[in-house]
Every structure is written in C-alpha cells, then in structure tokens.
Amino acid sequence: MKCVMPTNTSLQCVQTINSLPAVKKNPLQTAEEYGISKVAKKTAKSFSLAIFAGAFIAIAFVFYITVTTGAAGAPWGVMRFTGGLAFSLGLILVVVCGGELFTSTVLTTVAWAQGFFSTAELLKCWMRVYLGNLVGAALMVTLIITAKMHLLDAGSWGINALHIAQHKLHHTWLQAFALGILCNLLVCLGIWMTFTTKDILAKSMLLILPVAMFISSGFEHSIANMFMVPLGIIIKSISEPEFFISHGLIAADFADLTWSNFIAHNLIPVTLGNIVGGGVFVGLGYWLTEKGSHQANLQPQTIHANQIHRTQNLFTDKPSTNLGETNIMKKTLNNLTVNEVMDQKPLALSATDCIYQALALLVQHNIKGAPVVDQQQVLIGFVSQQDILRFLWSEEYSIKLTVSVSAVMQTEILSVDFQQPVSALLEFMVVDKEALFPVSNTG
C-alpha cells in the first residue's frame, strides 16, 4: 500500500501556509514556549548548557572583580555602576551563546501555570539546571585559582575578592532572601524584555541596565555566589600569612568565610529569593495580569486550530502529554513513518466516473481529493475538488457535460514509500529547495 500525493498539492500547501496572516506573539506566549522548551530539553543537553551558563556568570564576576580592584579612590556609585556594566557580560553570554541559567529558568512557572507540564517536571528541570550551574561555577573557581589570578596587582585582586565574598555572608537570613528577590526580579525582567525581539544586538542591549542595576545595588544572585563565595573561601585557605600582612590584614579577619556560613546564610535564602523574585513576581505575576487578554487574543485563531487538529490526529493516536503541542508534534514526527499515518482504506474513484458524481462523493466524505484507479485497482491518477471545479469554471458550470474523471485527473503524481519517515515527506512537500539552495547561472 502506498500513500499518494499529487505533485502540485505540495505547492498548494506552501501557498496556503504562506497566505496565512503572520501572528505576532506577545511576551507571554513567548514565555510559555520558553518554559516548554526548557522542560522538554533532554537532560544531558540541559545539564551541559547549564554548565556553560554557570561558567559564563563566573566569567562576568571575574570581570567585575578586575574592574573594581584598585578603584577605592573612585566615587562609590560610579565604581559599582562600572562593575555592574562589566557583570552584564554574563547574562549576555547566556542569552546569545546559549545556556541554561537557573535564575532565568524559573520563568518556566508561566508554562507550568498554563498546565503544560507537572510540578514534578518543573522541579526536575530546575534541579538539573541548578546543579549544572554549580558545576560550571566550580570549574571556573578551579581555573582561576590554578591561574593564580588572586595575586594580580600585588594581591589586591585576591583581597578584593575576599572582601566581596565576605560581605555576602554579613546579611541576615531575611535580608539575603529579600536581596535574592530583588536580584531576580531584575534578571527576569531583562529576560522578559528579550522576548519582544529576535535581534541579537537588541537582546544584548536590553540586558545591560537591569544587570548593572542589580549588581551596583548589591542584590544577591545565587549562581554568581556559587562562584564568588567559594573563590573567597579557597583564596583564604591557600594564602600564606604574608599575603594578608602585605595588605595590613590577617587570615583571622576572614574567619567567617566558611562553607557552612555560605550554605546556611547565603546560598539557601538567596536561591529561595531568586525563585520568588523571578518565578513568582515576574513569571506568575505577568501570567495573572495578562491571562484574560492572552486567552482573548487566542480566539481569532480558533478556526486555524480546528483546521490543524485533524492533521495532528493523523500523526498520533496517543493521548496528548502535558509538554505542549509543539514538543509533542516534534517528537512524534521524528518517530513516525508514512505507514502509520496513511489512510489504508481511502475513497477510490474510477476513471469512468462522471465528474459530478466524483465531486459529490468528495464533498460527501469531506475530503479534498482521492486516488483514481482502473478496473484492476491499479493507481492511474489523482483528482481533487479543485481540479473538477477548475474544469467546470472553464465550461461555465454547464450541467449538461458528460465528462469523466479521466479527463480532469492528474496523472503526474508523487508516490512515496510507506516506510519513509513522515518528517522527510513533510520537508519534501514544504521546503522550496531552489529558494533555500539557490544555484547561479554558472551552476
């Protein structure tokens, strides 16, 4: 059994798709897709990208330490703002180069609130990204210590890093929690702004001021702290007394730089604050605010959705999962063959049928076209409602015609192997290869 498709039907499909009006997505719709893509991403890929993101944020903090070292004579606000501009490199790298950052991943609460995936799937996504960020930050700490960067500027770089790390442990638990909320409020607002554009340069520019603001104001970022505080702890533990004495200090001045202090008084409250600031205040906040208008904006597309639904039913008999329609279609198409979706008992027309009879059958069965077979049930052509109506129009819709299907059917038809993947068939039907891979006159 073979699935049959007329050659110009693929062109009709392309024309129909191209004729549909472009629907401009609002940021809430983009945020939903953003969340679905993160939860649906394979664990290994997500974890790997999270390692990159952790390293990117660490690189940004290295930049911050460098530009603020030796700037004690500069106005406090100017120095902090300069450091904030430098630190914005981290989030820009995450967005432009690709990375899974925990503090922006909490925006998956938007898709979760819409019911695209379960709470367990949400938490699993957060956990793998968080751990990946931790690994990336730890790798950067190892590299920075191995490179002996703490000895830059006669050790001033390392002393600056120690003071920054120590300051982060001087907050009360509630203060650290609040600073975590404020930080991720700005991080996720920056990410939310990038949902309004596809231009990479525009995305980068939109991220600079929110990041510069939260850094210069001393807000707390859990992933940045995964790098900064461990760096301070290790510098303290490996440095000789002379390192501290040369700057009028002793190692005991940094006695509170311990792992237990870091985890209990900084990492835990800041992480929770980041979740509330980004996932609740920004993600769920915008979802609650825009939910009514978002649903209203979907109404004009209901007809298109109904038209597409029948096609989706062809691709799967399984019940829909809760990872979102986009992800379902992608996974399903990658695993399906033509044999699984073709109509094995199609309406077949005879070449000798009258065109009026054929048109009535097509309308009755609510189908656009059907194969044409001879007396031995061998495929000889394909006829569509459009083929018949085009012919009737050319004859001014005369009711006295005695024309058979053989006169209007298409004989140049596309037949495909029933074992061929559906994804390959769709690519063949939709992609205009001459436009995608243009060939010059010289070949």
Side-chain angles (χ1 to χ4, degrees):
M1 187 71 182
K2 292 186 178 181
C3 176
V4 181
M5 185 67 65
T7 51
N8 72 346
T9 300
S10 60
L11 297 176
Q12 294 164 11
C13 291
V14 175
Q15 291 167 357
T16 302
I17 293 169
N18 290 337
S19 66
L20 291 176
V23 180
K24 185 177 181 180
K25 297 177 184 177
N26 62 35
L28 189 66
Q29 289 173 294
T30 306
E32 289 173 1
E33 295 175 1
Y34 177 83
I36 291 170
S37 67
K38 287 187 175 295
V39 173
K41 198 166 290 180
K42 292 182 178 179
T43 301
K45 182 177 181 180
S46 178
F47 187 75
S48 299
L49 290 174
I51 293 175
F52 274 108
F56 293 157
I57 297 301
I59 288 170
F61 227 137
V62 172
F63 198 5
Y64 174 90
I65 298 169
T66 301
V67 301
T68 57
T69 296
W76 183 85
V78 173
M79 180 186 70
R80 305 274 291 191
F81 179 67
T82 303
L85 292 177
F87 190 85
S88 65
L89 170 67
L91 198 55
I92 291 173
L93 285 173
V94 170
V95 171
V96 175
C97 298
E100 296 287 320
L101 183 64
F102 174 75
T103 47
S104 58
T105 297
V106 296
L107 280 175
T108 49
T109 53
V110 176
W112 169 78
Q114 290 286 80
F116 285 113
F117 41 79
S118 67
T119 302
E121 290 169 317
L122 175 76
L123 295 177
K124 181 181 177 182
C125 173
W126 286 3
M127 182 58 67
R128 69 179 180 237
V129 171
Y130 192 79
L131 293 176
N133 291 166
L134 178 60
V135 172
L139 288 172
M140 284 302 300
V141 170
T142 303
L143 290 173
I144 295 302
I145 294 297
T146 303
K148 298 185 183 297
M149 288 196 65
H150 61 290
L151 300 179
L152 289 175
D153 193 21
S156 295
W157 195 97
I159 295 298
N160 187 22
L162 284 166
H163 282 300
I164 294 171
Q166 186 180 53
H167 174 74
K168 291 180 175 296
L169 303 185
H170 286 180
H171 306 312
T172 64
W173 200 97
L174 187 59
Q175 184 184 10
F177 177 72
L179 289 171
I181 292 175
L182 290 167
C183 168
N184 218 30
L185 188 69
L186 284 161
V187 170
C188 288
L189 284 174
I191 295 295
W192 197 273
M193 287 194 294
T194 66
F195 293 158
T196 63
T197 179
K198 292 184 178 181
D199 184 77
I200 296 299
L201 180 59
K203 287 178 183 285
S204 301
M205 297 300 294
L206 287 170
L207 292 170
I208 292 175
L209 287 182
V211 175
M213 194 275 182
F214 92 72
I215 286 293
S216 60
S217 300
F219 300 159
E220 294 288 338
H221 190 279
S222 58
I223 308 306
N225 292 352
M226 286 178 181
F227 167 78
M228 191 65 250
V229 181
L231 178 65
I233 293 173
I234 294 175
I235 290 175
K236 183 200 75 170
S237 64
I238 67 172
S239 297
E240 299 293 335
E242 293 77 15
F243 174 80
F244 298 98
I245 293 172
S246 63
H247 293 87
L249 301 166
I250 59 174
D253 293 331
F254 302 98
D256 51 352
L257 271 176
T258 64
W259 294 107
S260 59
N261 271 347
F262 168 50
I263 295 171
H265 299 111
N266 182 275
L267 189 60
I268 292 176
V270 170
T271 299
L272 294 175
N274 289 166
I275 292 172
V276 173
V280 178
F281 283 10
V282 177
L284 295 183
Y286 269 113
W287 175 74
L288 288 171
T289 302
E290 301 288 343
K291 182 171 62 171
S293 60
H294 177 50
Q295 294 298 329
N297 289 337
L298 290 178
Q299 294 305 315
Q301 302 176 51
T302 302
I303 295 177
H304 296 305
N306 290 337
Q307 291 171 339
I308 295 170
H309 184 64
R310 284 185 299 169
T311 305
Q312 290 178 332
N313 288 340
L314 289 175
F315 294 138
T316 178
D317 293 324
K318 301 177 181 179
S320 296
T321 67
N322 52 8
L323 287 179
E325 292 183 7
T326 302
N327 184 50
I328 295 170
M329 291 293 290
K330 182 178 178 181
K331 286 187 174 181
T332 304
L333 290 178
N334 286 338
N335 296 323
L336 283 180
T337 61
V338 171
N339 182 51
E340 296 176 81
V341 300
M342 69 183 186
D343 184 359
Q344 299 193 21
K345 296 182 179 180
L347 169 69
L349 301 175
S350 170
T352 58
D353 288 340
C354 173
I355 55 173
Y356 296 109
Q357 180 186 4
L359 183 59
L361 285 171
L362 293 175
V363 172
Q364 179 184 346
H365 288 81
N366 194 27
I367 55 177
K368 301 299 182 183
V372 181
V373 297
D374 60 16
Q375 294 180 348
Q376 287 74 39
Q377 298 299 302
V378 174
L379 178 68
I380 58 174
F382 188 96
V383 69
S384 67
Q385 291 188 32
Q386 185 180 30
D387 295 327
I388 298 174
L389 290 173
R390 184 188 298 112
F391 179 81
L392 290 175
W393 172 81
S394 67
E395 298 294 331
E396 298 183 349
Y397 298 101
S398 172
I399 60 173
K400 299 180 180 180
L401 296 174
T402 56
V403 179
S404 64
V405 168
S406 60
V408 298
M409 70 180 186
Q410 303 173 52
T411 56
E412 294 183 7
I413 55 178
L414 166 67
S415 62
V416 296
D417 192 315
F418 70 95
Q419 294 180 331
Q420 184 177 22
V422 169
S423 56
L425 176 60
L426 288 177
E427 178 184 350
F428 182 85
M429 293 169 58
V430 174
V431 175
D432 185 347
K433 291 182 173 59
E434 291 186 2
L436 189 59
F437 306 108
V439 178
S440 67
N441 292 334
T442 61

